[in-house]
Amino acid sequence: FSILQTFFLAMSLYPDVQKKAQAELDLVVGPDRLPTHDDIPNLPYINAVVKEALRWQNVLPISIPHQTSEDIIYDGYFIPSGTLIIPSTWYANQFP
């Protein structure tokens, strides 16, 4: 629900984006059918709009906790086996 609210807010704030996304959808899909998964490669702008809505408002800013199964070194940091790791979904979505 929060993603849909964010999407509607973004479309109301940026009507030019909405028009461009609608034009792409009309060009690829047309007026006679709904888009399918097969259309995704041909809808790069709409894909970008969806990803931006997900980036703006994550459903959960923190992902599901994980636990390391063995000692690892990541980016110069030693992380011992059994360490609880809580990834930040928001941070991960800041990069393309």
Side-chain angles (χ1 to χ4, degrees), residues 1-3 53-65 86-93:
F1 182 73
S2 63
I3 298 297
L54 290 169
R55 186 187 71 82
W56 271 16
Q57 180 65 48
N58 299 304
V59 174
L60 295 172
I62 297 176
S63 188
I64 298 169
I86 303 174
S88 170
T89 305
W90 180 86
Y91 182 79
N93 283 335

Side-chain angles (χ1 to χ4, degrees), residues 8-20 45 56:
F8 288 128
L9 173 63
M11 292 302 99
S12 68
L13 293 173
Y14 302 100
D16 54 318
V17 172
Q18 181 180 1
K19 287 177 186 174
K20 188 172 178 179
Y45 193 78
W56 271 16

